């Protein structure tokens, strides 16, 4: 139906659409502790029904061809636009992120934009050989049913990153959202399912048993997973018996290197958002910053001046751009790492002392200077609003420290000299290296990790290929 005919637009409409019919559990606002709504608790039996229904629906969905699926995805993006404010409010209440800044409204808008981008890409057969000896073409066919397991930090955006290319390629999708943020994904799917054909997209909101069954299911042809490296390894093991295809976007702990020629004031705001977007709860956020000794103090000072201006609080307050940690477990990890860094002699430049008498999992934006590279705040992915800043003397030393961990999702180099930055970037062990920015993604540009940050590519035409089965036709 046209977006103007969409019946799910308001916050109240969306909550009604995802209201549980059976077992449920409460979802609380991480900023206030108040009840957002009850979320359904689906079972393995529910998952089995979803997979069977998705498999039955897949041939007719694939039969629409690229033009038909493109039209359906564009209409689905229109439906997101029509429900944008209601979706953003639900996302803010459930995940905690503010409405403004690069947060809830940004995420919902990005979901619609990514759908349109996935719909727009052309994937023509590749001519491999065409000579007197014959012709060979490389085609990509639908896989079948794709299982998608998502995280709690960007629940709507990452769901779209998974489902958009999967559907575009003619697969049907069964999604398992994080137990922390099921309402956001259920509501997003309800909006999409107003315009998609029946049964091509399912959401099963269950516990670990549902995720484990999905990963091992013999009728699921591929798993897409965004989350921790440990869980990714478990999915690899679970998928082995069915030789299931995988796309895994795992842990990051991204490094940034500031070269000695950089302008501290010019880069300070970019550094801040590179590290603190979504209050630091982003896989490809900058988690450790290496700064040359010649400009170290100036960078720390400039970064602190920017961080002081960023208001933190309840997401529905239009003034805030930083929110709480999404859950108590993550709050405790950040607090413990910062406390341990302080105890080890590191200097807390800003933050580090959360208010104890306020509701919600608020941890202040925290900058930690004069810290050793082997400190746990540096070596572990903190996934929150605490940035360690490490001093270095030579570029070789910085590159060695940046590459010293077993993960490599993203990295960045900051410099006034593009050629110098590019030279350092080529030495970084990461799937993406940004210059004078960090964490910016584009639906046209492939994205994936190195080392134990996962494998497989998302986004762009290459991302579509990873949701298809390659087939060579030779004649």
């Amino acid at each position: 139906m046209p977006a103007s005919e969409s019946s799910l637009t308001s916050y109240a409409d969306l909550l009604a659409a995802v209201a549980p019919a059976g077992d449920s559990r409460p979802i609380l606002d991480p900023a206030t502790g108040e009840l957002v709504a009850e979320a359904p608790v689906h079972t393995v039996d529910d998952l089995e029904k979803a997979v069977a229904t998705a498999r039955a629906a897949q041939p007719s969905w694939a039969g629409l061809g690229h033009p038909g699926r493109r039209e359906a995805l564009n209409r689905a993006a229109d439906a997101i636009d029509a429900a944008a404010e209601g979706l953003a409010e639900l996302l803010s209440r459930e995940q905690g992120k503010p409405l403004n800044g690069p947060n809830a409204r940004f995420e919902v808008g990005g979901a619609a934009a990514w759908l349109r981008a996935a719909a727009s890409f052309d994937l023509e057969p590749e001519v491999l050989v065409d000579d007197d000896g014959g012709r060979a073409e490389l085609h990509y066919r639908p896989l079948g049913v794709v299982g998608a397991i998502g995280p709690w930090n960007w629940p709507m955006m990452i769901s779209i990153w998974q489902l958009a290319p999967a559907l575009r390629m003619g697969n049907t999708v069964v999604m398992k959202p994080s137990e922390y943020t099921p309402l956001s994904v259920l509501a997003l799917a309800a909006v999409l399912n107003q315009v998609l054909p029946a049964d091509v997209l399912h959401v099963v909101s269950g516990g670990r048993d549902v995720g484990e069954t999905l990963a091992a299911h013999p009728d699921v042809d591929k798993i897409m997973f965004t989350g921790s490296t440990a869980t990714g390894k478990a999915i690899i093991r679970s998928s082995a018996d069915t030789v299931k295809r995988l796309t895994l976007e795992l842990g990051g702990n991204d490094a940034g290197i500031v070269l000695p020629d950089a302008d501290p004031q010019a880069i300070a705001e970019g550094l801040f958002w590179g590290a603190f977007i979504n209050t630091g709860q982003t896989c490809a956020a900058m988690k450790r910053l290496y700064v040359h000794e010649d400009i170290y103090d100036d960078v720390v000072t400039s970064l602190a001046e920017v961080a002081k201006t960023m208001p933190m609080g309840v997401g529905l307050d239009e003034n805030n751009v930083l929110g709480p940690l999404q859950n108590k477990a993550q709050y405790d990890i950040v607090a413990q790492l910062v406390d341990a860094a302080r105890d080890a002699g590191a200097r807390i430049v800003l933050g580090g002392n959360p208010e104890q008498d306020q509701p919600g999992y608020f941890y202040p934006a925290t900058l930690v200077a004069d810290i050793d590279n082997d400190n746990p705040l540096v070596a572990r992915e903190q996934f929150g609003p605490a940035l360690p800043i490490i001093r270095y003397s030579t570029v070789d030393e910085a590159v060695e420290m940046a590459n010293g961990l077993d993960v490599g999702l993203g990295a960045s180099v900051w410099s006034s000299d593009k050629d110098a930055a590019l030279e350092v970037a080529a030495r970084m062990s990461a799937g993406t290296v940004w210059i004078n920015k960090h964490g910016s993604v584009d639906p046209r540009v492939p994205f994936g990790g190195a080392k134990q940050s996962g494998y497989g590519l998302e986004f762009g035409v290459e991302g579509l290929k990873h949701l298809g089965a390659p087939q060579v036709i030779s004649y």
Side-chain angles (χ1 to χ4, degrees):
M1 74 182 87
S4 61
E5 298 178 22
S6 174
S7 62
L8 298 179
T9 56
S10 71
Y11 176 75
D13 291 338
L14 294 168
L15 283 187
V18 303
D23 292 343
S24 67
R25 62 185 182 86
I27 299 295
L28 305 182
D29 186 330
T32 65
E34 298 172 352
L35 178 70
V36 178
E38 294 285 326
V41 178
H42 295 142
T43 66
V44 170
D45 285 343
D46 294 318
L47 174 68
E48 294 288 354
K49 293 174 185 175
V51 172
T53 307
R55 181 157 291 278
Q58 191 272 327
S60 61
W61 172 245
L64 291 178
H66 288 296
R69 297 194 296 271
R70 176 181 282 122
E71 179 184 1
L73 292 184
N74 280 322
R75 292 169 58 213
D78 291 342
I80 292 178
D81 286 340
E85 194 61 18
L87 288 170
E89 182 179 349
L90 176 56
L91 178 61
S92 181
R93 289 178 184 270
E94 182 180 48
Q95 202 281 334
K97 63 183 65 184
L99 291 170
N100 291 324
N103 292 298
R105 290 182 177 125
F106 170 84
E107 181 169 347
V108 174
W114 238 270
L115 262 177
R116 291 191 177 97
S120 71
F121 299 133
D122 291 323
L123 184 57
E124 301 295 338
E126 299 174 31
V127 178
L128 307 175
V129 173
D130 188 10
D131 58 23
D132 292 342
R135 181 181 174 94
E137 299 173 347
L138 177 59
H139 297 251
Y140 289 87
R141 311 300 187 194
L143 292 166
V145 177
V146 172
I149 302 174
W152 48 259
N153 57 332
W154 294 88
M156 291 187 187
M157 179 78 89
I158 292 176
S159 292
I160 291 292
W161 290 357
Q162 295 171 332
L163 71 88
L167 292 174
R168 173 72 172 78
M169 287 301 295
N171 307 293
T172 51
V173 178
V174 178
M175 308 197 73
K176 192 273 181 191
S178 166
E179 293 174 72
Y180 287 116
T181 54
L183 298 173
S184 296
V185 180
L186 287 162
L188 177 66
V191 169
L192 299 177
N193 279 332
Q194 293 177 107
V195 299
L196 293 173
D199 297 325
V200 304
L201 174 62
H202 298 261
V203 179
V204 183
S205 171
R208 178 177 294 183
D209 57 337
V210 170
E212 291 173 347
T213 303
L214 180 61
H217 203 291
D219 285 332
V220 173
D221 301 282
K222 172 159 185 158
I223 293 291
M224 301 185 75
F225 171 72
T226 296
S228 71
T229 298
T231 302
K233 291 177 179 178
I235 288 172
I236 293 170
R237 290 189 289 269
S238 297
S239 69
D241 286 345
T242 54
V243 197
K244 211 180 300 297
R245 289 167 172 81
L246 302 174
T247 292
L248 304 174
E249 196 252 85
L250 308 179
N253 207 349
D254 289 9
I257 296 178
V258 179
L259 299 184
D261 59 53
D263 180 340
Q265 290 187 333
I267 66 174
E269 187 166 351
L271 289 173
F272 176 83
W273 284 118
F276 290 93
I277 186 172
N278 198 30
T279 315
Q281 301 166 107
T282 297
C283 296
M286 185 168 57
K287 309 296 194 336
R288 49 200 172 108
L289 180 63
Y290 298 92
V291 182
H292 191 272
E293 59 189 5
D294 289 353
I295 58 171
Y296 184 87
D297 291 336
D298 289 341
V299 168
V300 171
T301 299
S302 296
L303 187 51
E305 289 300 318
V306 170
K308 289 176 184 176
T309 69
M310 300 296 178
M312 173 182 283
V314 175
L316 296 183
D317 182 334
E318 298 277 356
N319 296 309
N320 293 325
V321 295
L322 298 174
L325 276 301
Q326 202 286 324
N327 55 78
K328 180 64 161 57
Q330 197 58 44
Y331 177 95
D332 289 343
I333 289 171
V334 174
Q336 290 163 8
L337 288 172
V338 173
D339 288 346
R342 180 193 288 112
D343 293 343
R347 174 165 59 99
I348 309 299
V349 177
L350 184 72
N353 292 300
E355 296 182 21
Q356 301 299 320
D357 58 351
Q358 67 176 357
Y361 304 128
F362 289 99
Y363 198 92
T366 299
L367 300 175
V368 182
D370 303 330
I371 185 170
D372 293 333
N373 188 55
D374 59 358
N375 188 281
L377 182 60
V378 181
R380 289 181 57 189
E381 184 181 22
Q382 71 276 39
F383 216 71
L387 178 66
I389 309 171
I390 306 96
R391 190 189 308 262
Y392 75 87
S393 299
T394 68
V395 172
D396 287 346
E397 177 190 12
V399 171
E400 181 179 2
M401 290 190 292
N403 289 341
L405 301 181
D406 59 3
V407 289
L409 187 58
S412 58
V413 183
W414 304 75
S415 174
S416 299
D417 183 338
K418 183 182 72 173
D419 291 336
L422 290 170
E423 182 179 338
V424 175
R427 301 170 61 189
M428 304 287 281
S429 299
T432 299
V433 183
W434 293 277
I435 305 296
N436 292 328
K437 57 184 177 180
H438 195 112
S440 61
V441 291
D442 186 309
R444 300 165 297 181
V445 179
F447 180 75
K451 297 188 282 190
Q452 293 193 32
S453 287
Y455 47 74
L457 289 173
E458 300 175 272
F459 313 160
V461 174
E462 290 301 317
L464 291 184
K465 292 178 180 178
H466 282 245
L467 271 303
Q471 181 187 55
V472 173
I473 295 180
S474 185
Y475 57 95

